[in-house]
Structures are given as structure tokens and as C-alpha cells.
Amino acid sequence: MSKNTRVILTKRPVDDATPDCFSVETVEDEALENGQVRVAVEYISVDAGTRTMLRGEGFHAQVGLGQTILAGGVGRIIESTVDGWDKGQAVRGGLGAQTIATVMPKMLEKVDDTVGSLSAHLGALGASTGVTSWIGVRKVAKPQPGDIFVVSAAAGAVGSIAGQIAKRDGAHVIGIAGGQRKVTYLTERLGFDAAIDYKNEDVNARLRELAPKGINVFFDNVGGPILDAVLDNLAMRARVVICGAISQYGDMDNVTGPSMYLRLAERQSTMEGFAFFHFPESVGPAGAELRTWLDDGSLVMDEEVLEGIERYPEALQFMFSGGNLGKLLVKAC
Ligand SMILES: NC(=O)c1ccc[n+]([C@@H]2O[C@H](COP(=O)([O-])OP(=O)(O)OC[C@H]3O[C@@H](n4cnc5c(N)ncnc54)[C@H](OP(=O)(O)O)[C@@H]3O)[C@@H](O)[C@H]2O)c1
């Protein structure tokens, strides 16, 4: 009989999701029922949106007290009662923050494990990472050659790919991120045209300097004061794309709206939000194109991996303190 080690929610976080809100327990797995498969989870995706699932109410699916934290993962089937879902098959799905997931195949997707690491299926090729960036840029933001394209949380998973796609599409890309290490990463490793360190620079002043004629497209992952600073610097007929607002996730009952939103009227501009699942028809094409870029080496998706399921709570806190460059993952086993 296998044993599963899982991370459960023990207390609803206030502000930060600190490690004392979680506990890690090991339980014996029950016998597999007909129609189920058992998966050994290899990598767990750490996602900003998970913080909004810990409240008990909201837009995203919610985690109940005592329940396993919801999370995307990749792994391999170790036991199966279902034809066509054989032992050894690599799979991706909502496996949860645990080492062994017992699920129905309809919750899973088979993945190709012949090229590269399985972790790429959560990062560059993952629905809540690369595919979200692709949809946000290609289907919503639609930058044109020469456009000034600004992206926030630019050194993180979604932001770093969004900026690279906009650059491929001919935009002039400016990333906003926290700290000099991230500024150097954006310009030197990812090839962005410029970067702003929002922790140590005046974002509004730097945007005026870097984009004196205004910003055409803003891909926002952060919200709050950064969104306001960009709104204040929009060009005429600009597009502001709301992908996320991580600065607000710690207190979703008191979200701070943009005080500069009237710039949209002044500059005949639009603001549009999206989630990747609003574009189901684009998930396949996005994954296929991202795979091509990953294979030819033209897409950079760095990964930061914390080893051990018990480090999942630490990983979530690490992300919210801005520790990660690229995709943050936990290696479960
Ligand atoms: N629309 C969709 O379908 C969809 C799907 C997936 C994700 N998302 C959104 O995409 C965004 C990025 O998510 P991700 O999972 O890829 O995370 P990520 O960008 O890899 O990590 C989050 C980053 O946000 C920055 N950050 C944290 N707190 C901040 C604050 N108060 N102010 C400014 N920056 C802060 C940190 O970088 P710094 O060091 O730069 O602060 C951190 O590294 C999130 O808003 C998420 O909700 C949307």
C-alpha cells in the first residue's frame, strides 16, 4: 500500500500565506477503486492565484480547511484500473500539493515526456503559465510592431514569457520587477529593451523617461500602484490587459482600484481582463507554438525548484516575497 504526503490548509491566511497556515501529513492510500488511477507526483506548480483559493470564497475554486491545497502537477501513473491509462504514462492535471494523487483520468491529460523535463509541462507549456502568456499577448493585447509594451511581475513565470512573445511580435518591451537582480535578468538574459526596479525606482518617472510618447500596451500581473503609474503614461488608444493583480491577493476584501482610470477616457484607451480558460480553442495552438520555441531554444523559461513536498508552504511565501526568477516549482518526489 502506498503512502501519500500532502499539504493541507489548517488556517485561513490573513495578509501573507505564512507556513503556519499549512500542515504536512502522511496518510496511507486506500485501495484503488474502479475508474481510478494513482499518480506519483513529480513536480507541483506554485501559482500566484493559489493565494486567492485560500479565502473560502471567491472567483477561483476554494480550498476547505483540512483539505489538500489545489495545485497543478505532473507525474507518472503508478497504478491503474483504467484501460489506456497505463503504468508509466506521464500525465498533467490538478494533482494537488501531495506526493501521490488518486484521481479519475478525466482530470488528467497525457503528456509527451520524450523531450526535455516533465516540469516544462507546468512552466513554458503549462496552462497557467506559458499558455496564459500566449493567450494574453496574442488574443487580448495583440501588440503591433513598434508598440511600447510594458509588463509587470516581468521576471516571473507569466510575465517573462509574455514579454518574450511581445518582443517576437516586434514590440519594444519594458519589464517592471523588484530588485536589480531582476532588472539585469530581464535585459541581459531575456533581451527586454529596458527594465524598471519598482522597489528602488520611481516607476512613473522612469516610464516617462523610457516611453516619452506613451505606452501602447500594458500586460498587468500586479495591480495597485504599478497599474496607476502605467495608466498615467498611456499613449492614445492604448490597451491595458489585466492578467492578474498579485499585489491585491493578500486582502481580496479590500482591493484597491486604480485611481488613474480616467486616463482611459482621456486617451481613448481600453482595459480588458482575461483568464486562459476563456479561450479554450487557443490552448492547443498556444502549447504547440510554445513547444516549437522551447525546442529551438528561442524561448527562455528558467525554473526555480524547491525540493520536497514539505517545502510547498515555504515556496508560496517565497513567491509573494518576490524570490523567484521564472517558474517556481516544488519537486514532490
Ligand atoms: N489570467 C489568467 O488566466 C492567469 C493565469 C495564471 C496566472 N495569472 C496571473 O499572472 C500573475 C503572475 O503569476 P505567476 O504564477 O506567473 O507568478 P510569478 O510572476 O512567477 O511570481 C509572482 C511575482 O509577483 C511579484 N510580486 C509579488 N508581490 C508583489 C507586489 N505586492 N507588488 C508587485 N509585485 C509583486 C514578485 O516579483 P517581484 O520581485 O517583481 O515583486 C513575484 O515573483 C499573477 O497575477 C497571476 O494571478 C493569470
Side-chain angles (χ1 to χ4, degrees):
M1 197 68 80
S2 56
K3 283 189 175 171
N4 176 27
T5 302
R6 63 190 183 198
V7 181
I8 59 170
L9 182 68
T10 49
K11 188 172 85 176
R12 297 221 179 271
V14 178
D15 300 330
D16 292 343
T18 44
D20 62 316
C21 297
F22 306 91
S23 81
V24 181
E25 61 176 30
T26 299
V27 289
E28 199 136 292
D29 283 318
E30 289 172 9
L32 211 56
E33 288 175 15
N34 260 342
Q36 290 183 325
V37 298
R38 189 155 278 153
V39 178
V41 182
E42 287 188 23
Y43 291 95
I44 298 164
S45 178
V46 182
D47 292 286
T50 301
R51 175 63 188 84
T52 68
M53 300 179 183
L54 309 180
R55 303 174 65 221
E57 56 182 282
F59 164 65
H60 286 130
Q62 294 293 317
V63 181
L65 289 174
Q67 285 182 351
T68 306
I69 303 303
L70 299 170
V74 284
R76 276 173 213 284
I77 295 177
I78 51 170
E79 209 183 329
S80 174
T81 63
V82 186
D83 283 348
W85 294 83
D86 301 330
K87 197 171 162 185
Q89 173 68 52
V91 291
R92 168 172 68 184
L95 300 177
Q98 55 190 342
T99 54
I100 304 283
T102 301
V103 290
M104 315 272 259
K106 68 177 180 198
M107 316 263 301
L108 301 174
E109 202 186 330
K110 292 177 183 173
V111 294
D112 174 12
D113 60 344
T114 54
V115 194
S117 160
L118 268 189
S119 60
H121 292 283
L122 297 177
L125 309 173
S128 66
T129 304
V131 169
T132 294
S133 316
W134 190 99
I135 288 171
V137 175
R138 286 279 173 86
K139 294 290 166 184
V140 191
K142 300 179 184 163
Q144 302 302 306
D147 272 355
I148 306 282
F149 180 103
V150 175
V151 53
S152 58
V158 169
S160 63
I161 298 192
Q164 290 178 75
I165 298 174
K167 189 88 190 110
R168 296 184 90 93
D169 290 348
H172 180 91
V173 176
I174 301 171
I176 303 176
Q180 186 54 45
R181 177 179 78 121
K182 291 193 176 181
V183 164
T184 306
Y185 176 75
L186 293 173
T187 52
E188 293 186 8
R189 170 115 172 106
L190 301 188
F192 286 17
D193 297 285
I196 299 172
D197 170 7
Y198 78 90
K199 289 186 174 164
N200 296 296
E201 294 183 296
D202 176 336
V203 177
N204 201 321
R206 287 283 286 137
L207 287 171
R208 275 200 305 277
E209 205 175 287
L210 292 168
K213 293 185 180 157
I215 292 152
N216 305 103
V217 183
F218 180 38
F219 189 108
D220 191 22
N221 290 310
V222 162
I226 290 178
L227 173 57
D228 269 326
V230 179
L231 286 172
D232 204 21
N233 286 280
L234 292 182
M236 285 298 289
R237 290 192 170 275
R239 282 99 64 211
V240 176
V241 175
I242 306 298
C243 176
I246 193 169
S247 72
Q248 305 299 309
Y249 293 171
D251 188 4
M252 292 285 282
D253 291 325
N254 296 294
V255 169
T256 309
S259 62
M260 283 290 166
Y261 79 95
L262 288 178
R263 292 283 183 261
L264 296 170
E266 277 177 27
R267 312 215 174 139
Q268 213 183 343
S269 296
T270 59
M271 190 185 282
E272 182 176 0
F274 81 100
F276 69 87
F277 50 76
H278 297 139
F279 296 82
E281 71 292 347
S282 294
V283 171
E289 192 160 27
L290 289 158
R291 169 99 262 172
T292 307
W293 296 337
L294 204 57
D295 291 347
D296 70 18
S298 62
L299 180 74
V300 175
M301 174 82 281
D302 287 312
E303 294 175 353
E304 199 124 14
V305 182
L306 270 65
E307 301 263 347
I309 185 67
E310 66 288 350
R311 297 189 70 191
Y312 179 87
E314 179 195 338
L316 203 54
Q317 201 178 33
F318 183 63
M319 166 176 274
F320 276 77
S321 65
N324 63 304
L325 275 182
K327 179 69 189 170
L328 184 59
L329 299 157
V330 167
K331 188 151 188 346
C333 53

